[in-house]
Each structure stands twice: as structure tokens, then as C-alpha cells.
Amino acid sequence: MPTEREDRLIETVFARHSADGDDVLIGPGDDAAMLRCPRGERLLITTDTLNEGVHFPAGTSAHAVGYRALAVSLSDLAAMAARPLWAVVTLSVPAADEDWLGGFADGLYVLADEHGVQVVGGDFVRGPLSITVTAHGAARPDAVLRRGGAGAGDGIWVSGFLGDAAAGLEVLKQRLAGTASSLSETVQKELVRRFCYPEPRIELGGRLAGIATACMDLSDGLLTDLPRLLRHCGLKGRVETENLPISDALRDFADPDDSCRLALAGGDDYELCFAVPRENEPRLKALSGELQLTRIGELHQGTGLRLTRGGRPWEPPDSGFRHFS
Amino acid sequence: MPTEREDRLIETVFARHSADGDDVLIGPGDDAAMLRCPRGERLLITTDTLNEGVHFPAGTSAHAVGYRALAVSLSDLAAMAARPLWAVVTLSVPAADEDWLGGFADGLYVLADEHGVQVVGGDFVRGPLSITVTAHGAARPDAVLRRGGAGAGDGIWVSGFLGDAAAGLEVLKQRLAGTASSLSETVQKELVRRFCYPEPRIELGGRLAGIATACMDLSDGLLTDLPRLLRHCGLKGRVETENLPISDALRDFADPDDSCRLALAGGDDYELCFAVPRENEPRLKALSGELQLTRIGELHQGTGLRLTRGGRPWEPPDSGFRHFS
């Protein structure tokens, strides 16, 4: 609920890139944005809140906060195989710091521009640092990927590497606290980048339509997220932990057991987790370009998630289910 | 980023009323909601964040918080003459208190049901108490009301009474602090109700299409909001303060000067402020049922807002522009 000065600041931040696509009939500045929905497609809507101290540490750069706030919502659209269109952004800040807001907008628009997302509205309020992004996308109804729909025998796949973001968060906290690290600067930066700048798998999501039978994004870690997909499918999952994709950077950061724990329970990776029937695997492999795709397990009749190591049942040293974060 | 227990709690809160309209193809529980946009209409999107201690006092009932969080967004749709369709809700709470969440959901759904709004998704995170509602509506493109578009000579009108909500906030704070009041219980309750349970003027907004030439909702108070409409119209506004609609309850609460100040600068009323040419006034008067509509001034060539009292220029005792709240 800002005054004229803040009105101008909002215009600077949110209307920096004019939301002037053919589909944006009214952009920021009125009581609501007015949009033309794409014909023959369905609208996908997702909303996420990021709180300082909960979803990112105090002191995280404004640029990273802006980028990441949009990334987590675009990741949900990717998981539904939707093409991103528009976002509205609410920003709660303790004070109207122009430098901070400029950095936030820079980070937000880097990603928005990369995916052609138009920021069509928002709200700017006083309060603890918090960002909510509501992202809108479109998809043909027959192309949308859901959490349910996979069958017994389908493989469980993930994109990219798991656990890097959780390691990156630890490194970021150490750096913000000024703690020395024995890790190389290159590895530290790579891990922090993986926490601060997750890449929503929009292109992959779109290409999985017709190949994957179920899909979701990994925000809370495999141990928390995969059971959700399993419940939607009404199936049991068996994951061979030795197949989890662990990056070289994570291997430098932690020993094999801790790397496995971070890959299972770390969260914040924003990779896609999806089910693929055997007969679709050749088409899936044709997709795999620079982005690694890994078969980590299989769906079976039953319920629950079973972890194995070397084919035998296995429990992680710390089961790491994060409560209500 | 909740665990299984919280997943169930979310289902209890957000999926209590099944989002199962023809237009809701996927409701809460997947990565994104999937909707069918209405044909021949445009989509309107608005988003608002309410923070405890900024937008409502600590101790406000969960029921009021839930109702009000949706009301402020619906009010934006009303100002655009849109028909509400769907909402997504993010809720940040310090702890997962089932009673509180139940009360919140009760309040939210009272209003959602009244206006046929379907809650199609949300997010539930840990943090300071804060709610963001993104509301979606539809309107025929030729019926949408904007902030700009009025002409010199058009009257400035407001719905309902102004200043009650600001008085209600004061009374609510006194009651939460246990301070005794000389006001009657009836008046106190009425004013608190006006703060906690604003009525989004959805029906009025829809009926103003073709009558009003510009429209907005009053969230921050006339002194802050009206200049926005004036800038959009490129006109000067002249408001005769003796014409401001002051309720009997507000007259009981404050002396005439303070009532005027609250009506001008108080905020939180969520009434509509709109411009109507003389020739449309008969059609406007035909609309006026139980809801009072008051002509408070007029638009002129020029810029800025001029207040008058008894026809003479007048400055309010405390100009009351609220900074960045």
C-alpha cells in the first residue's frame, strides 16, 4: 500500500520490461492485469512463497532471491509440461531499498526473459522479506503431465543431479558467516549456484509429454516428494540408491554416505522426477542432450517407498524428512 | 514444503470444498492447477499480500484473516468489473495449528462460496503470519473498467461509507489490548466488522460497466488512491469534503474533523471509487439499492487533487498519507 514515491519504485521494478505481448491487454498499474488466454490450450496456475530465513538464508543476494522466486514457480509449470506465459509477484520487504529492489528485479527478469515470461502485476508491501510468485502457463490438454497415471513396471527417472542445492545451501551459509572452507572456490561457487539459480526444466517438461506417464518437480527432496507421486499413482516405489545421480561437486563436498543422504533428503534441486514405461525409453534417450537423465528405480504394485543399496533393503543414516519447512 | 501430515492438513484446509467446476480440470494437489478459460471473455489477475502487524493486528481472528485475505483481491476484480472465478492462496504461518487453520479456512470459504470462487491451489510454508491471494476473474473485453478513461466534468463517486474500516482497526486494537471504550458494544462491533469483513463490490462493479468511465477500489484511502486514478485519467480532482459519506457509527466514534480525516486517509474500506458523466447519472441512480452511492466531487482539466469545504479550498488537519504500509 505504497505512496506516490513507492508507486514509481514499483513501476521501476515491475514494469521495467513492458508487459506488452499480444496476450497482455492490461499490464501492471491497474487494479488487475487483463490477459487473453491462448486458444485450444488450458491454463496452468501455480503459486509459491519464499520466506527469508526459511527458504533462503538472510544475506542471500537480491539477484539470487529474484531469480529463485520465479524459478520455483516455473519449475511447477515444467512438471506439468506447460509453456510459461505470465507471472504476478508480491514482494514484502522491511524497507524500500532501491539497490536491493534493482538487484531483485535484475534476477527476476533474467529468468523471465529466458522463458518469455511477462510480469503482468504485483503487490509491494512492508513486512519481513518474503516473495510470492504466481505463475501462469498454457498446455494442450492432452499434453499435460500429472502426478498420477504411471503403471507398475514404469521406471522412475530424474533429471540432472540431486543433492547439489542442499550442499550449496550449506556452503552459502558458511560463506555468509565468514567460515573458512577446505573446498576449492570453483566447487563452492558451483554448489551455491545450484542453490541460488535452479534451472526450471521447462524444455524437458514439454518434451516429456507423450513419453512420461507421471511427473513432478523435486522441491523438498526425493524422500518427501516421491511418496507424493507414489500416492497419486497408487503404487510402490523402489529406488536403488547407488543409481542416484551425484555430481562431481557433491562428491568433493561430502563422503559417499552424506552425498547419498543429501541427494535423497536435501531438497531445493528443482529437477523433474518422472515415470517412463520401458517401451518409451528409446524416445527418452533421444531427448537426453546435455541434461543428464537417470533411471533411479521402478514402480511396483503396493504402497510406500523402498530404498535399496546393491539390491538389498537400505535405510539412510538420517532419514531426513524435513518437517514443515 | 510440508511432510505427509501437513499434506493432509493442506488438503483439509484448501480442498475442503472440492474445486470441481466444469472449468477446473485439475484442482489442488498437483504441481499446478489446470483451468479452462471462459470463451469470449478476458482473464483478469490480481495478487495481494497481507502481513500480520502491517495489514491486520496480531490477534485478529483466523476467520477474519481468511475472509479479508480473499476480500481484498476480490475487491480488485470488482474494480475491473470482472466476475470472480478462481483463487490460489499461499499461507505462511509460524506453526501448523489446526484450530487456527480451520478458522482461516472457514472465513476464506464463507466469501469464496458467496461469490462462487473456487480455491484451486496454494502453498503452505513456515514463517511470519502472511497470506497472499491471487484471484482470477473474467470479463467481456468491452465491459472492463480501467483507472483511466474518464473525462473532465465527470462526477467522482464512491460506494458505501468511508472511514469505518480505519475506525474499526482502532477499535479492534483497543479490544485486543483490553482497553475500555466509551462506545456502545453495537457501534464497536459494527466498526470492527467493517475492518475485518469488507464486502468486495463485485455486483456493483459488474453493473457499472457502461455507466462509469473509470474505476478503482479504495484500499489505501481516498487521499492516496484517488490521485492514482487522476494520473491515469490525466485530470484534476476536486472533492467536496462535506459530501464524503460518513456512517452513523463513524459519527459516534469521532468528531466531525476526525471523521473527515478517517474518511479521507483511513484506508481499508474496499469501496469503489469511480467516475460517471452527467448523462449516465440517471442510470447510476437506478442501480442504487441498499448500497449508498455518493457523488463526492468532480473531474477537471489539470492535475492533482483539491479538497474543498463549503466550496473553499481546505487542507485536512493531518494529511495522513500513509507511507509504505
Side-chain angles (χ1 to χ4, degrees):
Chain A
M1 297 192 234
T3 60
E4 192 173 338
R5 179 179 158 257
E6 278 88 27
D7 275 358
R8 285 205 212 92
L9 208 51
I10 293 174
E11 280 163 28
T12 313
V13 173
F14 288 125
R16 172 190 304 202
H17 297 224
S18 58
D20 58 358
D22 276 0
D23 51 345
V24 181
L25 305 167
I26 301 176
D30 215 309
D31 288 279
M34 180 161 77
L35 295 315
R36 182 184 285 119
C37 290
R39 284 196 181 186
E41 291 184 303
R42 297 296 168 259
L43 187 69
L44 285 299
I45 309 178
T46 180
T47 189
D48 289 279
T49 293
L50 301 190
N51 288 333
E52 183 186 55
V54 177
H55 302 99
F56 56 90
T60 304
S61 81
H63 191 276
V65 171
Y67 177 102
R68 200 164 174 280
L70 181 59
V72 304
S73 286
L74 294 191
S75 179
D76 283 321
L77 294 182
M80 306 288 287
R83 180 171 59 90
L85 298 172
W86 321 302
V88 292
V89 179
T90 77
L91 178 56
S92 171
V93 289
D97 175 332
E98 272 183 65
D99 286 345
W100 196 94
L101 292 172
F104 175 87
D106 285 343
L108 182 76
Y109 282 111
V110 162
L111 187 63
D113 290 347
E114 186 183 331
H115 293 286
V117 173
Q118 300 191 75
V119 178
V120 299
D123 191 18
F124 186 53
V125 300
R126 186 164 56 81
L129 182 56
S130 174
I131 303 97
T132 299
V133 173
T134 307
H136 301 75
R140 296 196 324 276
D142 58 347
V144 165
L145 293 172
R146 304 195 54 166
R147 289 189 177 178
D154 291 359
I156 302 170
W157 291 74
V158 293
S159 62
F161 295 103
L162 302 184
D164 287 6
L169 174 58
E170 289 310 309
V171 174
L172 177 59
K173 284 179 178 169
Q174 285 167 11
R175 290 167 75 105
L176 291 169
T179 311
S181 167
S182 59
L183 279 177
S184 79
E185 187 68 18
T186 311
V187 168
Q188 288 187 53
K189 280 193 171 163
E190 170 60 14
L191 292 173
V192 170
R193 188 186 66 78
R194 293 270 295 150
F195 173 76
C196 288
Y197 296 96
E199 294 173 44
R201 302 302 187 188
I202 295 290
E203 192 184 337
L204 176 64
R207 292 185 173 196
L208 286 177
I211 296 176
T213 47
C215 187
M216 73 182 305
D217 76 325
L218 295 174
S219 53
D220 299 344
L222 202 65
L223 281 186
T224 302
D225 289 325
L226 184 52
R228 293 171 176 151
L229 186 139
L230 298 173
R231 285 197 294 278
H232 276 261
C233 293
L235 292 171
K236 179 167 78 177
R238 185 173 147 161
V239 167
E240 172 53 51
T241 57
E242 284 173 321
N243 292 346
L244 292 172
I246 309 287
S247 72
D248 291 341
L250 187 56
R251 281 181 219 280
D252 281 355
F253 176 80
D255 67 29
D257 266 6
D258 275 348
S259 296
C260 179
R261 188 180 55 77
L262 287 166
L264 284 168
D268 291 321
D269 284 315
Y270 297 101
E271 296 293 350
L272 297 185
C273 176
F274 49 97
V276 177
R278 278 283 180 205
E279 62 268 28
N280 291 350
E281 287 190 5
R283 288 169 62 204
L284 182 68
K285 277 165 191 161
L287 289 189
S288 190
E290 285 183 24
L291 181 60
Q292 177 164 330
L293 303 177
T294 309
R295 191 180 198 278
I296 60 167
E298 207 171 57
L299 296 168
H300 297 276
Q301 298 293 347
T303 57
L305 172 60
R306 300 292 173 274
L307 302 176
T308 62
R309 177 168 278 192
R312 293 188 176 176
W314 183 78
E315 281 293 318
D318 164 9
S319 70
F321 283 87
R322 295 196 303 171
H323 275 271
F324 189 47
S325 64
Chain B
M1 297 192 233
T3 60
E4 192 173 337
R5 178 179 158 257
E6 278 88 25
D7 274 358
R8 286 206 210 92
L9 207 52
I10 293 174
E11 281 163 27
T12 313
V13 173
F14 289 123
R16 172 191 301 202
H17 298 224
S18 58
D20 59 358
D22 277 357
D23 51 345
V24 181
L25 306 167
I26 302 175
D30 215 309
D31 289 279
M34 181 160 77
L35 296 314
R36 183 184 286 117
C37 291
R39 283 197 185 186
E41 291 184 305
R42 298 294 169 261
L43 186 70
L44 285 298
I45 308 178
T46 179
T47 189
D48 289 280
T49 292
L50 301 190
N51 288 334
E52 182 185 56
V54 178
H55 303 100
F56 56 90
T60 304
S61 82
H63 191 276
V65 171
Y67 177 102
R68 199 163 175 279
L70 181 60
V72 302
S73 286
L74 294 190
S75 179
D76 284 320
L77 294 181
M80 307 287 287
R83 180 170 60 89
L85 298 172
W86 321 303
V88 291
V89 179
T90 78
L91 177 56
S92 171
V93 290
D97 175 332
E98 272 182 66
D99 285 346
W100 196 94
L101 292 172
F104 175 86
D106 285 345
L108 181 76
Y109 283 109
V110 161
L111 188 64
D113 290 348
E114 187 183 332
H115 292 286
V117 174
Q118 301 192 71
V119 178
V120 298
D123 191 19
F124 184 53
V125 298
R126 183 163 59 80
L129 182 55
S130 174
I131 303 97
T132 298
V133 173
T134 306
H136 300 76
R140 294 195 326 276
D142 58 345
V144 166
L145 293 172
R146 303 196 56 167
R147 289 189 177 178
D154 291 1
I156 302 170
W157 290 74
V158 294
S159 63
F161 295 102
L162 302 185
D164 286 7
L169 174 58
E170 290 309 310
V171 175
L172 177 60
K173 284 179 178 171
Q174 285 168 10
R175 289 168 76 107
L176 290 170
T179 312
S181 168
S182 59
L183 280 176
S184 80
E185 186 68 16
T186 310
V187 168
Q188 289 188 51
K189 281 194 172 164
E190 170 59 11
L191 292 173
V192 169
R193 187 186 67 78
R194 292 270 294 150
F195 173 76
C196 289
Y197 296 97
E199 295 174 42
R201 301 303 187 188
I202 295 290
E203 192 184 338
L204 175 64
R207 291 183 174 200
L208 286 177
I211 295 175
T213 47
C215 186
M216 72 182 306
D217 76 326
L218 295 174
S219 52
D220 299 343
L222 202 65
L223 281 187
T224 302
D225 288 326
L226 183 52
R228 293 173 176 150
L229 187 139
L230 298 173
R231 284 198 295 276
H232 276 261
C233 293
L235 292 171
K236 179 168 78 177
R238 185 174 147 160
V239 166
E240 173 52 52
T241 57
E242 284 173 321
N243 291 345
L244 292 171
I246 308 286
S247 71
D248 291 342
L250 187 57
R251 283 182 217 280
D252 282 354
F253 177 80
D255 66 29
D257 266 4
D258 276 347
S259 297
C260 180
R261 188 179 55 79
L262 288 167
L264 284 168
D268 290 321
D269 283 315
Y270 297 100
E271 296 292 351
L272 295 186
C273 176
F274 49 97
V276 177
R278 278 280 179 211
E279 62 267 28
N280 291 350
E281 285 189 8
R283 289 168 63 203
L284 182 68
K285 274 163 193 160
L287 289 189
S288 191
E290 285 183 26
L291 180 60
Q292 177 164 331
L293 302 177
T294 310
R295 191 181 197 279
I296 60 167
E298 208 169 57
L299 296 168
H300 297 277
Q301 297 295 347
T303 58
L305 172 60
R306 302 289 175 274
L307 302 177
T308 62
R309 177 167 279 191
R312 292 189 180 178
W314 183 78
E315 281 294 317
D318 165 7
S319 68
F321 282 87
R322 294 198 301 171
H323 275 271
F324 189 49
S325 64

